[in-house]
Amino acid sequence: MAAALSLSLKLVCFHAFTISLLASNHLGQSADTYIVHMDSSAMPKPFSGHHGWYSSMLSSVSDASTPTGAAVTPSTTAKLIYTYSNSINGFSASLTLSELEALKKSPGYLSSTPDQFVQPHTTRSHEFLGLRRGSGAWTASNYGNGVIIGLVDSGIWPESASFKDEGMGKPPPRWKGACVADANFTSSMCNNKIIGARYYNRGFLAKYPDETISMNSSRDSEGHGTHTSSTAAGAFVEGVSYFGYANGTAAGMAPRAWIAVYKAIWSGRIAQSDALAAIDQAIEDGVDILSLSFSFGNNSLNLNPISIACFTAMEKGIFVAASAGNDGNAFGTLSNGEPWVTTVGAGTMDRDLYGILTLGNGVQIPFPSWYPGNPSPQNTPLALSECHSSEEYLKIRGYIVVCIASEFVMETQAYYARQANATAAVFISEKALFLDDTRTEYPSAFLLIKDGQTVIDYINKSSDPRASMAFQKTEMGTKPAPMVDIYSSRGPFIQCPNVLKPDILAPGTSVLAAWPSNTPVSDNFYHQWYSDFNVLSGTSMATAHVAGVAALVKAVHPNWSPAAIRSALMTTANTLDNTQNPVKEVSNDTVTALDMGAGQVNPNKALDPGLIYNATAEDYVQLLCAMGFTAKEIQKITRSSYECLNPSLDLNYPSFIAYFNDESSAPDELVQVFHRTVTNVGEGQSNYTAELTPLKGLKVKVDPEKLVFNCKHETLSYNLTLEGPKSMTEYLVYGHLSWVSDGGKYVVRSPIVATRMDPGMAPDFFGGF
Ligand SMILES: *[C@@H]1O[C@H](CO)[C@@H](O)[C@H](O)[C@H]1NC(C)=O
Ligand SMILES: *[C@@H]1O[C@H](CO)[C@@H](O)[C@H](O)[C@H]1NC(C)=O
Ligand SMILES: *[C@@H]1O[C@H](CO)[C@@H](O)[C@H](O)[C@H]1NC(C)=O
Ligand SMILES: *[C@@H]1O[C@H](CO)[C@@H](O)[C@H](O)[C@H]1NC(C)=O
Ligand SMILES: *[C@@H]1O[C@H](CO)[C@@H](O)[C@H](O)[C@H]1NC(C)=O
Ligand SMILES: *[C@@H]1O[C@H](CO)[C@@H](O)[C@H](O)[C@H]1NC(C)=O
Ligand SMILES: *[C@@H]1O[C@H](CO)[C@@H](O)[C@H](O)[C@H]1NC(C)=O
Ligand SMILES: *[C@@H]1O[C@H](CO)[C@@H](O)[C@H](O)[C@H]1NC(C)=O
Ligand SMILES: *[C@@H]1O[C@H](CO)[C@@H](O)[C@H](O)[C@H]1NC(C)=O
Ligand SMILES: *[C@@H]1O[C@H](CO)[C@@H](O)[C@H](O)[C@H]1NC(C)=O
């Protein structure tokens, strides 16, 4: 794997939401938000509900109730922000340190964590994944009809064509969700497609009381939530594009699933307290799937409120898709790797969006571009410049300026080219640009050194160098695809390294989906462009794809557990690209399951996986026990008493990761045994045979090598044994165990990774491989 690339080369792009992080300026002690876990069984008799109990507890610890003589402003009194009852037992509150200390002595207090602010992990994808109207998974699942996908995101733009409710039935009686009206818009937030819309910003406002909320409703004013909602479950919309790029029919993965929106992202940030309130309500409302495209935060598993909420969701049978993060490509950068969620990495699609630079001598140079504007300079003179001094202005005005790679950063060059009124610009750099940064205000081409040199040589040799530029080009069917994109965060998940993460790959790069019509698609400082569809990249986009595909599986198998659905997605995933070669990274480096999990999600096959690896809440508890969490810590996650009867790091998971990293002792052999149980969900009587790919330097064996099922729903067990030196010679080896049914109808494939990396080390330590 190549060393991590820096991707965030921002070019004349300014975020629309510039946030001033004002320190709170209260008199007396300043208050912070805390999420407090309570033992609900400790509630004293007189209280009929938790809300009353917590309120009374807070007023009794409030600094204001014990005046010390100094003037106390109302903002320093303990304030209840949310009461939680479905996801955790507890509440969030604004507390001073002395109030927090007093609270810790209250009966029923278990623990608390400061509220963290975390980041969101910001139309052809359905065809690319093999979904076709009138066949395969869409027909079998009736396009996900009957399933409710809840998205905790930045809200939704209900007027978008993607959320038309044609052909959608009324929400089912089991649905308890609500549609909170938007005071400023007369039209409803909901219809028979969007069946729930709520919003949560009390945690955000507790931290940033002076910030203006641009839409104090579940209406989206940032775009992220509209984009992910339509990717997961948008209806068919014909003839859409982003300024001519990526034209075609847009549709979500589950075009007939219902959407429930829980807005908790505000100005590009999300408070754990708000996200928790959103998930708490989504569980009560009765969603089937949760799509979470933001970082859960960095607290340890037993203290992370979002992890815990996801555990409860899993217990209630809710499938949770969560983004791996955009911090790749070093190992150990992955977030949201909780073993009870499905963690999603991002890959490319077989589609290029680009522009073409045509030199006067006829040479054509394509370059990646999302430039949304109209001007396409024709036969315009070229000028070479370092693009950094105003003396050069006159030489540039009206030209296509070619800015030579120099010590001047591209932002500076782009600024000068603009100030000088160049007609267009060609920027030359050593590194490929993040595509989002190609939405420049004037026509621009971004070339790597080799293509850049072609242009420079042409200018040098020609007496009248000229060029033309064209934009809004789309090429379909590009190869190879998918590739794992550089930015996608890589496993292992440092907090739980014995479960291989990420789980799965889905399209995340240059995804076209719906967009609010009042929100600019480009955060370019000088120009604002608007469009009802926008192109975005990130594991957020990939996660929405997986949430939609999970809805298709759920529509066909309503009783499958979240683990069973995850297993179906993973064991049927594609590990080959569209050239039938192993999936690679965008840099053409080899990838392993730590980059892409089991492979790219394959909806048509996921509906009928043959065998599944199931797991119960009890199994996850035994994993937590083996990880060394105390009974008290585990109780914070499970909220009920489970016992550590059979602690084991060996979760019944459809993938394997083994560490051979013990350099301390004599060079003995190490034998690692994985025990797995599979359930036959395919045909009644069927036999499966194990196929193993070799792993360099290790002895690998499966026992038994044949599984003979006599009936449907029967479970059988096997062991996978890896044997090798305590410290492996190879840094990392990667292969597969496949159970192949007689006749080959089913191939139930699991990735195997063995490595000598030490997940106890900081990610930076083992980043550069
Ligand atoms: C309604 O719009 C006004 C003016 O744009 C704004 O100040 C107000 O906050 C909005 N209210 C809501 C509920 O979004
Ligand atoms: C947002 O609306 C809620 C009612 O829905 C109101 O209680 C709250 O004060 C509003 N907040 C802001 C910042 O406008
Ligand atoms: C997209 O636009 C191009 C150029 O206008 C056209 O050739 C192509 O057929 C369109 N593709 C689709 C899927 O509509
Ligand atoms: C965890 O996140 C918080 C806030 O997002 C940050 O201040 C802190 O440094 C992080 N801690 C670690 C160990 O990364
Ligand atoms: C660029 O164009 C603007 C607007 O027409 C003009 O005000 C400015 O003087 C021009 N700058 C140069 C360097 O020509
Ligand atoms: C232009 O060509 C001359 C002669 O071949 C060479 O010395 C010079 O370095 C070239 N300039 C650039 C900018 O490439
Ligand atoms: C998996 O386990 C859960 C919990 O024990 C159970 O409800 C479910 O039926 C099992 N099988 C499948 C296919 O989900
Ligand atoms: C990767 O390899 C393919 C074909 O092997 C090639 O077309 C492509 O340009 C390469 N990409 C990079 C980033 O080197
Ligand atoms: C499965 O294997 C058993 C034992 O090898 C054999 O008796 C049986 O006929 C096989 N069943 C099928 C459906 O192939
Ligand atoms: C798997 O290994 C365990 C001990 O690690 C053993 O008890 C069990 O019999 C083995 N099962 C099979 C099917 O080999």
Side-chain angles (χ1 to χ4, degrees):
M1 178 175 296
L5 288 176
S6 159
L7 287 163
S8 51
L9 178 52
K10 278 280 172 195
L11 193 88
V12 292
C13 291
F14 294 79
H15 284 282
F17 308 108
T18 7
I19 310 305
S20 47
L21 303 178
L22 295 167
S24 48
N25 189 22
H26 302 314
L27 296 170
Q29 266 191 303
S30 71
D32 281 311
T33 303
Y34 294 87
I35 297 169
V36 182
H37 295 260
M38 298 294 298
D39 177 357
S40 57
S41 65
M43 181 169 77
K45 274 267 147 53
F47 295 103
S48 61
H50 292 139
H51 188 80
W53 177 32
Y54 302 149
S55 305
S56 131
M57 192 183 304
L58 283 176
S59 57
S60 73
V61 303
S62 169
D63 289 346
S65 65
T66 53
T68 53
V72 180
T73 64
S75 55
T76 62
T77 65
K79 255 196 307 229
L80 185 62
I81 296 177
Y82 293 109
T83 295
Y84 308 111
S85 50
N86 301 299
S87 53
I88 68 163
N89 292 326
F91 57 90
S92 49
S94 181
L95 299 165
T96 63
L97 275 181
S98 61
E99 288 165 345
L100 179 66
E101 286 314 309
L103 185 70
K104 285 181 179 171
K105 298 185 190 98
S106 304
Y109 170 92
L110 288 176
S111 65
S112 59
T113 53
D115 197 10
Q116 275 189 12
F117 275 73
V118 293
Q119 307 292 323
H121 292 142
T122 258
T123 36
R124 227 174 79 81
S125 59
H126 58 94
E127 283 177 34
F128 179 56
L129 290 174
L131 288 168
R132 303 256 186 284
R133 271 201 246 197
S135 72
W138 268 351
T139 307
S141 66
N142 195 11
Y143 303 85
N145 196 7
V147 180
I148 303 166
I149 304 178
L151 296 108
V152 178
D153 213 300
S154 67
I156 199 162
W157 190 258
E159 289 80 13
S160 164
S162 291
F163 308 125
K164 287 212 169 107
D165 63 357
E166 246 167 56
M168 299 288 303
K170 294 220 171 309
R174 69 185 166 96
W175 177 240
K176 297 202 210 103
C179 199
V180 180
D182 180 335
N184 268 2
F185 286 78
T186 46
S187 60
S188 164
M189 287 299 298
C190 294
N191 55 17
N192 282 338
K193 178 76 188 172
I194 305 168
I195 62 169
R198 303 179 188 263
Y199 62 101
Y200 303 87
N201 57 23
R202 283 186 240 154
F204 180 85
L205 289 168
K207 173 90 173 182
Y208 305 112
D210 302 323
E211 189 149 336
T212 9
I213 295 278
S214 66
M215 287 277 179
N216 186 23
S217 75
S218 44
R219 183 172 285 276
D220 189 3
S221 54
E222 313 190 11
H224 191 270
T226 300
H227 200 276
T228 53
S229 303
S230 61
T231 299
F236 289 93
V237 189
E238 315 280 345
V240 306
S241 78
Y242 173 74
F243 299 98
Y245 291 102
N247 58 339
T249 300
M253 289 293 103
R256 282 196 201 140
W258 283 301
I259 294 170
V261 225
Y262 300 85
K263 179 174 177 180
I265 294 176
W266 304 90
S267 304
R269 279 157 304 151
I270 177 166
Q272 284 177 330
S273 58
D274 290 329
L276 187 58
I279 298 172
D280 201 73
Q281 188 63 52
I283 292 173
E284 181 161 327
D285 287 351
V287 302
D288 300 309
I289 312 277
L290 267 175
S291 184
L292 306 180
S293 288
F294 57 87
S295 158
F296 293 179
N298 59 13
N299 336 58
S300 74
L301 285 188
N302 64 312
L303 291 175
N304 188 318
I306 311 298
S307 301
I308 299 173
C310 289
F311 189 93
T312 311
M314 173 276 297
E315 279 185 300
K316 304 247 156 113
I318 300 166
F319 176 93
V320 181
S323 45
N326 302 339
D327 301 318
N329 65 352
F331 290 131
T333 47
L334 183 134
S335 55
N336 305 350
E338 280 68 9
W340 42 87
V341 309
T342 297
T343 312
V344 187
T348 62
M349 283 188 269
D350 61 341
R351 176 176 73 192
D352 273 350
L353 311 181
Y354 65 103
I356 296 178
L357 176 71
T358 307
L359 303 178
N361 61 5
V363 171
Q364 294 202 318
I365 304 172
F367 52 88
S369 179
W370 291 357
Y371 171 63
N374 279 325
S376 298
Q378 297 300 313
N379 201 28
T380 305
L382 286 163
L384 263 186
S385 169
E386 288 199 322
C387 301
H388 70 97
S389 80
S390 31
E391 277 111 69
E392 302 209 20
Y393 276 5
L394 288 176
K395 290 196 267 169
I396 296 176
R397 190 168 59 201
Y399 282 73
I400 296 179
V401 60
V402 178
C403 299
I404 303 166
S406 70
E407 76 261 35
F408 303 106
V409 290
M410 228 186 256
E411 280 97 327
T412 311
Q413 294 189 324
Y415 174 78
Y416 277 102
R418 177 185 181 277
Q419 290 302 99
N421 297 333
T423 298
V426 175
F427 299 101
I428 300 165
S429 68
E430 284 170 21
K431 280 181 198 161
L433 212 65
F434 194 36
L435 272 168
D436 203 20
D437 292 337
T438 64
R439 301 192 227 212
T440 48
E441 45 159 336
Y442 50 79
S444 310
F446 298 92
L447 306 183
L448 294 176
I449 299 290
K450 185 170 155 287
D451 284 337
Q453 197 54 51
T454 305
V455 180
I456 292 169
D457 291 346
Y458 163 69
I459 294 174
N460 204 5
K461 288 204 185 87
S462 168
S463 55
D464 179 23
R466 287 173 180 271
S468 302
M469 286 166 106
F471 293 91
Q472 283 97 27
K473 302 281 177 196
T474 304
E475 189 181 332
M476 307 290 199
T478 55
K479 292 178 178 183
M483 291 196 269
V484 180
D485 218 330
I486 308 280
Y487 61 79
S488 188
S489 294
R490 306 308 207 263
F493 181 47
I494 302 301
Q495 294 194 39
C496 185
N498 292 89
V499 175
L500 178 57
K501 290 277 177 173
D503 294 310
I504 197 132
L505 188 74
T509 298
S510 304
V511 175
L512 181 75
W515 197 254
S517 51
N518 73 339
T519 304
V521 288
S522 160
D523 54 9
N524 190 299
F525 185 70
Y526 303 100
H527 249 282
Q528 292 193 326
W529 275 281
Y530 293 87
S531 167
D532 290 342
F533 281 81
N534 192 9
V535 181
L536 293 187
S537 296
T539 50
S540 288
M541 285 67 239
T543 299
H545 277 101
V546 167
V549 176
L552 302 180
V553 179
K554 183 93 184 173
V556 176
H557 306 289
N559 298 323
W560 279 14
S561 67
I565 296 174
R566 173 176 56 203
S567 173
L569 300 179
M570 287 173 68
T571 61
T572 58
N574 289 334
T575 54
L576 301 181
D577 62 27
N578 57 6
T579 66
Q580 296 309 303
N581 289 310
V583 170
K584 291 188 152 188
E585 187 177 85
V586 165
S587 64
N588 277 350
D589 283 336
T590 19
V591 307
T592 73
L594 285 174
D595 306 281
M596 67 164 176
Q600 163 124 316
V601 66
N602 182 345
N604 288 324
K605 283 197 177 159
L607 264 48
D608 187 15
L611 306 177
I612 55 132
Y613 293 78
N614 207 352
T616 62
E618 180 71 42
D619 297 333
Y620 296 115
V621 170
Q622 298 314 315
L623 172 75
L624 292 168
C625 295
M627 286 170 71
F629 288 110
T630 64
K632 218 180 151 194
E633 284 166 341
I634 293 171
Q635 206 209 325
K636 263 174 233 154
I637 301 179
T638 63
R639 300 195 299 155
S640 45
S641 45
Y642 284 98
E643 277 178 78
C644 289
L645 295 173
N646 182 23
S648 170
L649 290 175
D650 187 16
L651 184 66
N652 196 43
Y653 215 77
S655 60
F656 304 89
I657 183 162
Y659 296 93
F660 291 84
N661 58 6
D662 182 358
E663 289 171 15
S664 58
S665 44
D668 305 332
E669 291 287 293
L670 177 66
V671 180
Q672 301 204 41
V673 183
F674 296 90
H675 185 70
R676 291 289 186 274
T677 300
V678 285
T679 309
N680 178 18
V681 293
E683 272 129 38
Q685 281 198 341
S686 49
N687 295 347
Y688 284 78
T689 311
E691 285 182 7
L692 274 170
T693 55
L695 296 178
K696 196 172 174 196
L698 300 176
K699 273 184 250 163
V700 195
K701 127 180 147 224
V702 183
D703 182 28
E705 290 177 334
K706 194 169 174 187
L707 298 173
V708 178
F709 292 96
N710 293 309
C711 59
K712 201 166 173 172
H713 304 305
E714 185 180 352
T715 60
L716 290 174
S717 296
Y718 69 86
N719 288 341
L720 171 75
T721 308
L722 304 187
E723 194 180 341
K726 274 187 171 167
S727 179
M728 286 170 49
T729 323
E730 301 289 319
Y731 182 68
L732 189 150
V733 292
Y734 160 59
H736 289 99
L737 162 62
S738 302
W739 287 101
V740 182
S741 66
D742 284 359
K745 177 175 177 192
Y746 298 111
V747 178
V748 186
R749 190 176 39 233
S750 293
I752 308 170
V753 166
T755 176
R756 67 175 154 80
M757 81 170 64
D758 180 355
M761 294 291 184
D764 288 340
F765 177 78
F766 49 74
F769 292 90

